[in-house]
Amino acid sequence: MATEEFVPLSRLEAELGISRVDLLLLIRRLGLEPIRRGMRTFLSSQDAAMLVSRIAGEGTESVAAELVLEESPVSQLPVPIEPQWFKADLYADLRLFRERLEILERLVRTGIEIDSRELADLLQLKRLPSVEQQGDAAFFDRLGLRFWRRNRAGQRLSWRVTASSEP
């Protein structure tokens, strides 16, 4: 089998002065098969010559890539279509807020201590706020709750959530 000469698509883009998207659309319309080698894409020299002759020919249609968005059927949407889509976002945010509050309430009831990273995620903070000192204990207040820092020898820092001012 004789080796064919391959033409990279980047060279065709430069010669023809069209974008990669338009070039690939034209290749698809003409039914040509690009050859992929690693991260590069080629056309055989015969296919490249035919492509150039089709573009250079008189009366050819312009090849412009168009973005076509298909409208989804209304019945598939979870909420009715309204001009005020922010209502769905607001509902989702409120639902997440409610779930976070339920988790905090369980932490208060059970007395389970939580890791700093997990607490920051739960409160949707990048980092926990600075703490205030009350005797030997350190705490901060958020959402009507008090978060007490727990330092135990040989263990990681943890936080206990209470509804009162007592640790």
Side-chain angles (χ1 to χ4, degrees):
M1 181 173 173
T3 59
E4 278 189 78
E5 182 180 329
F6 298 115
V7 179
L9 291 187
S10 58
R11 189 167 82 184
L12 285 172
E13 282 180 67
E15 287 177 9
L16 299 173
I18 61 175
S19 70
R20 176 67 59 111
V21 173
D22 292 334
L23 184 62
L24 290 171
L25 282 173
L26 187 58
I27 289 171
R28 176 176 259 179
R29 281 186 194 162
L30 295 175
L32 304 176
E33 193 65 35
I35 301 157
R36 289 179 176 73
R37 298 263 168 93
M39 296 295 290
R40 300 192 65 194
T41 306
F42 300 92
L43 274 180
S44 68
S45 58
Q46 294 170 351
D47 289 345
M50 183 176 72
L51 180 71
V52 170
S53 67
R54 288 292 291 260
I55 289 179
E58 293 296 322
T60 58
E61 64 185 66
S62 64
V63 181
E66 297 177 13
L67 181 61
V68 179
L69 297 174
E70 296 179 7
E71 301 220 6
S72 62
V74 177
S75 62
Q76 293 180 354
L77 297 176
V79 293
I81 293 181
E82 295 182 10
Q84 302 165 337
W85 267 100
F86 70 91
K87 288 183 181 179
D89 290 335
L90 180 63
Y91 175 75
D93 288 343
L94 287 174
R95 185 173 180 136
L96 289 173
F97 182 68
R98 179 179 172 206
E99 289 173 2
R100 289 193 337 264
L101 286 177
E102 287 175 358
I103 292 170
L104 287 170
E105 188 268 333
R106 285 185 188 142
L107 290 174
V108 169
R109 265 189 304 118
T110 61
I112 295 173
E113 296 178 0
I114 188 170
D115 182 276
S116 296
R117 180 179 33 86
E118 293 169 347
L119 181 60
D121 288 343
L122 186 62
L123 296 175
Q124 288 187 326
L125 300 171
K126 290 187 180 191
R127 60 187 165 109
L128 296 176
S130 59
V131 294
E132 299 176 29
Q133 292 291 335
Q134 182 181 28
D136 292 337
F139 68 92
F140 70 91
D141 294 321
R142 191 66 150 214
L143 301 173
L145 300 171
R146 186 158 280 185
F147 299 87
W148 297 90
R149 182 170 58 193
R150 301 289 189 185
N151 290 324
R152 293 198 178 105
Q155 295 182 3
R156 289 186 173 181
L157 177 72
S158 63
W159 295 86
R160 184 165 188 260
V161 185
T162 62
S164 66
S165 60
E166 295 298 317

